[in-house]
Amino acid sequence: MESIIIIVFIVGYLAITLEHNLKIDKLIPALAMMALLWAIIALTHMPVFEVNAELRELEPSHIDDILLHHLGKTAEILVFLLGAMTIVEIIDYFDGFATIKGFIKTRSKKKLLWLFSILAFILSAIIDNLTATIVLITILQKVIKDRETRLWFAGMVIIAANAGGAWSPIGDVTTTMLWIANKVSALQLVEHVFLPSVVCMVVPTFIASRFKAFQGNIEGEFEEEIPKSKFGSNMLYLGLGAIVFVPFFKTITHLPPYVGMMLSLAIVATFAEIYSSTKFSLSNVDGESDAHAQHSPVHASLSKIELPSILFFLGILLAVAALESLGMLFHFAEGLNSAIPNTDIVVMLLGVGSAVIDNVPLVAASIGMFSQGMDSPLWHFIAYSAGTGGSMLIIGSAAGVVAMGMEKIDFFWYLKKIAWLALVGFLAGAVAFILLRDLILNA
């Protein structure tokens, strides 16, 4: 039966990887794979690890307990993501991200490159790399009219956003998973991964700044926009502050991160309701403001949440949990360590793999593969590699996929122009991580 389990997982995984070719949303194979794996386990009475790591055969009715345990762990991540996504949508409801455009004063392409790279690096650490990419490419479309030049900027934003998300517990789904699973703590993650992530962003940006595409000034005038809400900047700073507050809340109370995120959402939502009911809070732009103001900003924001992504995470995390419960991931890790004794190479291959296939299941699998304790350098290196490795292909990260959709970036254009820069940044950051780790261990 183990062979059937592996076949189902591989087929489901391939369907997820080839979603663009098959034109089937990846949530469908993820949910089907999850249901089939657990059904096979239940119907064939396969030996399953209990929560206390005791391997014994369970009746299907008792498997409910194990499934409920894994569902609880998965739900922690999903509820956390729902809260963060809602806060970001509330900020967008008040057009808060338009405030960022006010920081752009220069017309020099080289200066703009560094400005957008730094903004992507910082924003992705707070509102996650996917949202940061959406925000910055939207701004790019208003600032740079020449499409070829904009594609270069978009490619560099992807690299910077993925680098920025790797060192923050709230910057990428994979780091959030490691944080919630108690594999890393927020402070130690920042301490060990921040500098390598900076190197990963700075090296390719410095190289690219020498390219012809980033020489001279941009043409045309900046578009002047009338803010849709006078509370936009307030909501931006309040929302970003509320998200940053979550790791501090967890450190102080030792409660799961989703509890702090729900508190932050409640605070942001309260101000959103107050602002939306304030007379003349929304300017009358194109006659849309009156209808806009009549709706609750919280309800409007919740309606924009990407539920397909949430369902995908549910499917893939519970599918990986099935393999973990059977002990397959642990045995696979033993075999991998025997074949490649150097763990650093294994983790770097994980990073390269995340460019080809989704990094969420890779990290979910690694959590079941390795038994190292909390804040082991292994987990920090996994956070770095899985977070930044996806930049090497346009389809290798959520930031890349959304940029591809927004700017219609060609896969092979990215492979030719940007991929090698991402690889150089990834390797430079990996070397920086190893040197920093050895320095700390020998101190």
Side-chain angles (χ1 to χ4, degrees), residues 120-134:
F121 187 82
I122 295 172
L123 273 179
S124 64
I126 303 173
I127 59 174
D128 80 59
N129 48 13
L130 171 64
T131 310
T133 303
I134 294 172

Side-chain angles (χ1 to χ4, degrees), residues 96-413:
F97 293 114
T99 305
I100 297 171
K101 192 183 173 187
F103 297 141
I104 302 171
K105 305 295 184 184
T106 181
R107 300 176 63 83
S108 165
K109 291 181 182 178
K110 187 180 291 188
K111 289 180 180 178
L112 280 173
L113 170 64
W114 281 103
L115 177 61
F116 273 95
S117 294
I118 293 170
L119 276 174
F121 187 82
I122 295 172
L123 273 179
S124 64
I126 303 173
I127 59 174
D128 80 59
N129 48 13
L130 171 64
T131 310
T133 303
I134 294 172
V135 169
L136 291 176
I137 288 184
T138 301
I139 296 172
L140 274 174
Q141 290 171 340
K142 296 173 181 176
V143 172
I144 301 174
K145 297 303 180 187
D146 180 60
R147 184 172 181 274
E148 183 66 22
T149 303
R150 202 165 62 238
L151 291 183
W152 276 100
F153 275 90
M156 299 310 297
V157 163
I158 293 169
I159 294 175
N162 286 332
W167 62 270
S168 165
I170 52 181
D172 186 271
V173 175
T174 52
T175 53
T176 300
M177 287 164 56
L178 291 167
W179 182 44
I180 291 177
N182 288 322
K183 299 301 182 183
V184 298
S185 63
L187 188 60
Q188 289 293 312
L189 179 69
V190 174
E191 183 180 330
H192 289 84
V193 185
F194 176 73
L195 185 58
S197 296
V198 170
V199 172
C200 181
M201 182 271 288
V202 168
V203 170
T205 304
F206 176 76
I207 295 172
S209 67
R210 306 288 202 179
F211 293 174
K212 184 179 179 181
F214 297 106
Q215 302 304 313
N217 297 329
I218 60 170
E219 298 176 357
E221 297 296 326
F222 290 164
E223 288 184 10
E224 291 294 331
E225 289 187 84
I226 302 172
K228 294 180 182 177
S229 171
K230 65 180 182 181
F231 298 116
S233 58
N234 290 3
M235 290 307 300
L236 174 67
Y237 300 130
L238 175 64
L240 296 184
I243 295 174
V244 171
F245 163 75
V246 175
F248 294 99
F249 181 85
K250 180 185 184 295
T251 302
I252 295 168
T253 64
H254 301 289
L255 288 170
Y258 71 87
V259 179
M261 186 58 78
M262 291 299 103
L263 175 60
S264 292
L265 174 58
I267 294 170
V268 172
T270 300
F271 279 90
E273 294 289 349
I274 293 170
Y275 287 158
S276 67
S277 62
T278 302
K279 192 175 183 181
F280 305 124
S281 66
L282 297 170
S283 60
N284 193 359
V285 181
D286 298 330
E288 295 179 0
S289 61
D290 294 336
H292 193 56
Q294 290 171 3
H295 295 87
S296 164
V298 180
H299 291 179
S301 301
L302 282 168
S303 69
K304 293 183 178 181
I305 295 299
E306 264 197 79
L307 281 179
S309 296
I310 297 295
L311 288 174
F312 167 71
F313 295 142
L314 173 67
I316 198 67
L317 292 175
L318 287 181
V320 170
L323 300 187
E324 182 184 346
S325 296
L326 293 171
M328 288 183 176
L329 294 181
F330 181 72
H331 295 313
F332 177 73
E334 284 185 330
L336 194 61
N337 286 331
S338 299
I340 309 175
N342 191 319
T343 309
D344 288 340
I345 295 176
V346 172
V347 175
M348 289 176 71
L349 288 175
L350 180 77
V352 174
S354 70
V356 182
I357 51 182
D358 201 280
N359 58 2
V360 171
L362 282 177
V363 172
S366 72
I367 291 173
M369 284 167 55
F370 301 105
S371 57
Q372 277 81 345
M374 184 176 181
D375 281 327
S376 164
L378 172 73
W379 299 119
H380 295 140
F381 202 16
I382 288 174
Y384 168 80
S385 294
T388 61
S391 301
M392 285 181 268
L393 290 178
I394 188 72
I395 60 169
S397 66
V401 171
V402 74
M404 187 182 190
M406 292 179 73
E407 283 292 351
K408 303 296 184 287
I409 302 174
D410 181 71
F411 177 89
F412 293 102
W413 181 91

